[in-house]
Structures are given as structure tokens and as C-alpha cells.
Amino acid sequence: MEKFTTKRSLFDKIDSILEKHNWNKNDLLAILLETQSNISQNYIPEEVAKYISIKLNIPTSKVYDVITFFSALNDKPKGKHVIQLCKSTTCRLNKYQKVREILERELGIKMGETTEDGEFSLEYTACFGACDISPAFRIDDKVYGNLNETKIKEIINSYRRINHE
Amino acid sequence: MNRVVNVITKNFNKYNIESIDEYVKLGGFEALKKAFELGPQGVIDEIKASGLRGRGGAAYPTGKKWEQAANVKGDRKIIICNADEGEPATFKDRYLLEYDPYKIIEGMTIAAYTVKANEGYIYIREEYKHLHNKVRRAIELAKKAGYLGEKILGTDFKFDIKVFSGAGAYVCGENSSLIESMEGKSGRPRIKPPYIKQCGLYNLPTLVNNVETFAAAASILLIGSEEYTKYGTSESKGTKLISLCGNINKPGAYEIPFGVTLREIIYDIGGGIKENKKLKFLQLGGASGAIVPADMIDLRYCYKELKDHGIEIGSGAILVADETNSVVDFIKSVQDFFLHESCGKCTPCREGNRQITKIINRFVAGDASITDLKTVEKFANVMKYASFCGLGKTAPTALLSAIKHFPVEFYQRIYKVSR
């Protein structure tokens, strides 16, 4: 996977996010979420965390306290699309393990890994409130439920098609 | 008795949320007008008369909470709608956000008027990101139409609402953790007192209620507490939105009057167990709720009758498990959840979850000892009584109730007994 490289345009973007929030340190969580959504590998690189801490005049350790506390924030790069499989109570009763097997087979990776081409990361997540359509997974912000083998393959292929367009 | 009712859900699928006019045609903002007629004390009296209790899980009387908030002195007060619905098996607030966001806005505005607050936030979990912009749009439309912002409905009352995104932390459903995260910190619970009602967001007096509570308050004002209390029992008045899921034919969010039996919920509303299998157990109130064995399903769904049997309504989740499920394996998924979600602030919860998980893993592997059973119960009780916040206090509920109702399943996983 390509290493994160500092792009001027990204820091300009971060500046505009900070400005929108009036450099208010109380808005740190929102600032970090918005910053991460502007980075293709879905994470906050160290230099970005440091940059935000300097701009908001707070210790970098405090920025990391927030990044590492919340599941939606990452300090390590992820694939372009993150597939999050729920293994909480309801999905357990609805056999999430079958979905995991199909996903691992289809993507050729194990849970917690990223495909070689950097397109997909596969991970577990806590409940995201789609228990009425369990078993379910989330790809980026989109939730898919009532999963079976055919449906899972179709969903993965639809992302592959988008990626190759 | 009608098993499914439509009091707070009456607008579901009746209008397009892109059109505030359609909401108004369905009686939208009539409750707010009525609140202005009644005055703050009148609203408090009406909510008290309805018997409404907080629908987020703690079940604190809403009228009393609003009265306390109104009596707190302060020029600047905050209203927060807690939409951080993170309890596994719970999704009823998602339905309200999706199908009737204006009712939440209306309920919050009524609360703000009642307690004299001018600033509001809807804290929506990151996992519901697909709903953030929909709710933002509803707020924008409400503002344009004069139901939010300055001079609401031509009065001198002003109130504004912003959407705040969570970032994937179950503990932020706890009000003080939620507030910490809104102040740019990691979401760990605060020591109380000072209580949030006096010293909440930015140290200002703050009223936090669940999504369903605000929606129910707006519905109560619309139809009147007398009409509302025709539903339910004498102790548990009105209706409740439940999330029904698991091995059930018709999972979904349903509004029911308090007092229907669990059997009616599972078989009449939920269409029975998938593939005609036998019911084994339920878990009520989410991952932090009790395990209820199949022979208890004639209990009525209301605060008192369940409480008498050590069961809480909690968030209103009803998870159904069929005969093919192992209780021990199920407890492992509960335990994995809490191990992941404990914030680590207090020792009983941080270390308790860690050690209980290790022991449960031995039960799953069929490699536990009789001492493990005693130890796990002891640790669970320490967590229950000594944890800092509700997460740690309720995390072992499922385990303790599972050992109580299904002891044999645990004994079968003990090495010396099973061989």
C-alpha cells in the first residue's frame, strides 16, 4: 500500500475545516471526522494529527486520546472501502460466521486484513443498529442486510465495478 | 387489546420527510402550539399526568426531569437529544429519525420552551451517518417555516438545533460521556455531582432525553395525557416502541401498549420463530439486559411485572433466540461487546470485563473449572455494584441471569463434569 504523502491540498482542506469550526478545540471530534473523510485511506496520519494539535493549541497526546478512543477514527491506513461485519448479539443469532466465511473467500483475505490492491479492508464492528435486517455489514457508510451468498457476491462486485470505472 | 398501536408512530410512512408541509397536514407542530397555550408549568403537568418515563433505558419520570430542568437557574441552557442508540438489538430510534424527524424536532422545541433553553443538539451516532444529512435537512426546513430559529410561531421564543456526530463509542450513550465527547474529549463518564442538569455541556445547565422520549412528549401534548393513558397499565402508562429481532419471522420496530405479554409480542406481532423452531430464550433491553427463558414469556411487558422478576425494559429491545443457540456462546458475544466498549476509566469495569472474557473463553472451549463458575459470578457482582457508570453496572446482567436460568449449560462446559 502506498505510503501517505503530505499534499498541500490536504492541509489547505484541513485549514478550511478548522476555520469552519472557528479553531474551537471543543469541536475536535467533528474536525477529526471531517479530516479523515478527506483522506482516501480512511485514517489520520501522524503529521496530520500533529498539525491539528498545533493549530488548535492542544497537546498531540490529547488528539491521540480522541483518535484511539473512537472506533470511527483510525491511526493506521485502511483500504479504500472498509467492510465492517457485525458480530454482536443479534448477528450472532443470525449466523454472522457464514457471512465472514463468504467475505473472506470472496476477497481472499482474513478478518483484519486489507486486500493487496488496497481496495478493501475487512474488519469486525460493534452493533450498528441494523438488527432488523441481520446479518448485516457496512461498507463505508452504507448498510447491507439480510445477507446471503448471492447477495454478498453481487455487493462486492458492484464495488469492484465502481473501482474499475 | 390492540397489540400494535400508532401513537408516536402514527406518521410513519405517511409523509415524505422532504416536505414539512405534509408533516403539518398530519397535525405537525400542533403540539408545540398547545405547549405555548399551556405555558411551561402546564406542559410539565401534562407530561407528569401522562406517566411518561425516559425511553433511553433509565426510565426516569420525564415530567419530573423537565420540572427540575426548568427550576435550575441559568441564562443559557442546553437541550440534547440522545440519538447515540448503541445497544445491540436496539434500532427503534433509527425508525423515528428516518420516518418522523420533525416530531423529534417538535418534542425538543417543546422541551426547550418548557425549561427555557435556546440551544439544542441532536447527538446522532456515527453508525447512522446516512441519517445525519436527512435530519440536518429537516432542521433547515423547520427553520425556514418558522418552527425553529427566532420568533418561533410568532412568539418571542427562539431555539435552534444542530446535529452532532458521534464517532463509534457505545459508552457515549451515557449522558456525561456524550457531553465529554461533545467538548472535544474522549468519551469517559464524569463524576456526579455536579449533575448534568446543573452543569452539563460547557458547564451549562443541560437537559438530555432520548429520541423516543421527545417524540412521545410531542405525541402526548397532541392527543392529551388522558387519551395517552388509555393505553398501557395503571403502573406503566402509554405505549412503547420496541425493537424486535433475532430468530424471528418479522423483525422490526413496533409500537405496543404496555401490558401485552411477551408471548403476544413474539408470536402475534413478530410472526413466531423462524423455521418453526422452538423458542429458547429472550434478551430484553439489549446486550446489557437480562436473559429470559422461554417459560417466562407469559409475563406482561410493563415496568413493574418485569422488574418483579429482575428484568428491565431498558432500551426496549427484544432479542429472540431459538433452540439451536447455546447460551454460553451467546454470552461470549455479549462479553466481547463489553470488553470492546468499556472506556477503561474504572477498574471494576476495565479489569472485570477483561477477566470475565478470559473465563468465558474457557467455557466456550469446554475447558472451564468449577472454580471458574464461582469466580465469574463473583467478578460479575463486583462489576454490578462497584462500577463507575451504567455500562459497567449493567454489563454483567446477561451473564448473571444466564447462570441463574441456564446453569446446566455452564456445567456442561466444565472440563471434569463433561468428561
Side-chain angles (χ1 to χ4, degrees), chain B residues 252-286:
Chain B
Y254 300 96
E255 186 178 2
I256 55 157
F258 282 112
V260 296
T261 65
L262 290 168
R263 184 187 297 278
E264 287 170 316
I265 293 171
I266 298 159
Y267 291 97
D268 299 340
I269 299 172
I273 314 297
K274 265 186 202 167
E275 296 166 20
N276 275 326
K277 291 207 168 79
K278 256 172 71 182
L279 173 70
K280 182 164 180 180
F281 65 88
L282 307 175
Q283 189 181 27
L284 298 196

Side-chain angles (χ1 to χ4, degrees), chain B residues 140 162 188 220 264 278 345 378:
Chain B
E140 191 188 307
K162 285 181 186 149
R188 295 192 174 88
I220 288 162
E264 287 170 316
K278 256 172 71 182
K345 178 164 181 152
K378 189 172 148 190

Side-chain angles (χ1 to χ4, degrees), chain A residues 89, chain B residues 283 286-291 327 330-331 334-335 338 394-405 410:
Chain A
T89 50
Chain B
Q283 189 181 27
S288 66
I291 304 282
V327 173
F330 179 78
I331 289 297
V334 172
Q335 201 44 50
F338 285 113
T394 59
T397 307
L399 172 62
L400 288 168
S401 55
I403 295 173
K404 182 178 164 195
H405 295 296
F410 287 86

Side-chain angles (χ1 to χ4, degrees), chain B residues 164-191:
Chain B
F164 190 96
S165 173
Y170 167 75
V171 71
C172 287
E174 195 277 340
N175 293 343
S176 70
S177 310
L178 180 149
I179 285 170
E180 284 284 292
S181 72
M182 288 179 79
E183 293 181 354
K185 292 170 259 179
S186 55
R188 295 192 174 88
R190 288 178 181 175
I191 290 175

